[in-house]
Amino acid sequence: MPERYTIGEAAKKLQVSTRTLRFYEEKDLVRPAYTEENGYRFYSEEQIRQIELILFLKELGFSLRQIKMLIQDKHGGQSLDLLLKEQYQENQRKIDKLSKKQRKIEHLQKIKLSRVVLTNHSGIKDIMRKENRLSALRRRMCFLGILLILGELIGISLLYAFKVQMSVAVIGITVVGAIALSKYYYDNVEYVCPNCGDVFIPSFLTFNLAPHTPKFRKLTCPRCGKRSYCLEIIRE
């Protein structure tokens, strides 16, 4: 025997009120599969699916009059297929848009933007632009660092293969290059205190001696005096 639902059970299954189902019946949209002599209404799975379709079309913005015309039209099935295809494509566009926003949020989470950073700068776009510039600076530093390491290796090789004086000169140049590279990076960054939001620049010596991660450096804020890992940002 096919499964049947009372009007209360159908309303609960569809998460609507019994008043809504009676209204659809009055509007000749969906009638119960059968009604007993005592007035009890019963709905089958077919009626349940029809009501689900009506609720979906209403969610898309269709009026009940338009839904009734679509259901009663002999070509309504084809029209519905086109509608579902278009709605699927529209939903996909929304998903793609939301996915882009999610990637931006993930990026912001990775750079660990705190509330004080947001309130001390001119907005998300400006922060993202600065982060992109900082990433470019770090890539340049990585490339130049590799060149310095190669120079140091060459100097060590010369120490064993040729004159000591030549190797010392090469190593000396490498050390000077490392200091210059560190100074170049120092001149392009500044730090945000996570406690008070102050943006400051430490001394060059403090900058070099402070423990750090790829995005933070442990510094003492000149404003609040607290020592903590401060967010590294690009200077204007």
Side-chain angles (χ1 to χ4, degrees), residues 200-214:
F200 66 95
I201 301 170
S203 69
F204 183 60
L205 181 61
T206 300
F207 166 83
N208 282 284
L209 297 179
H212 61 88
T213 70

Side-chain angles (χ1 to χ4, degrees), residues 20 42 48 64 71 77 83-84 91 105 136 159 165 176 189 199 206 212 232:
T20 297
F42 290 91
I48 295 294
L64 290 180
I71 291 175
L83 173 66
L84 293 176
N91 288 345
I105 292 173
L159 175 64
Q165 292 85 350
V176 172
V189 295
V199 180
T206 300
H212 61 88
E232 189 173 81

Side-chain angles (χ1 to χ4, degrees), residues 59-72:
E59 189 177 335
L60 295 182
F62 282 74
S63 67
L64 290 180
R65 185 178 63 84
Q66 291 171 325
I67 293 172
K68 185 175 180 179
M69 289 175 59
L70 182 62
I71 291 175
Q72 294 179 348

Side-chain angles (χ1 to χ4, degrees), residues 5-8 22 25 32-36 38-43:
Y5 305 90
T6 65
I7 188 170
R22 290 192 178 93
E25 182 182 354
Y34 63 92
T35 304
E36 292 185 344
N38 58 11
Y40 286 177
R41 295 169 171 79
F42 290 91
Y43 292 82

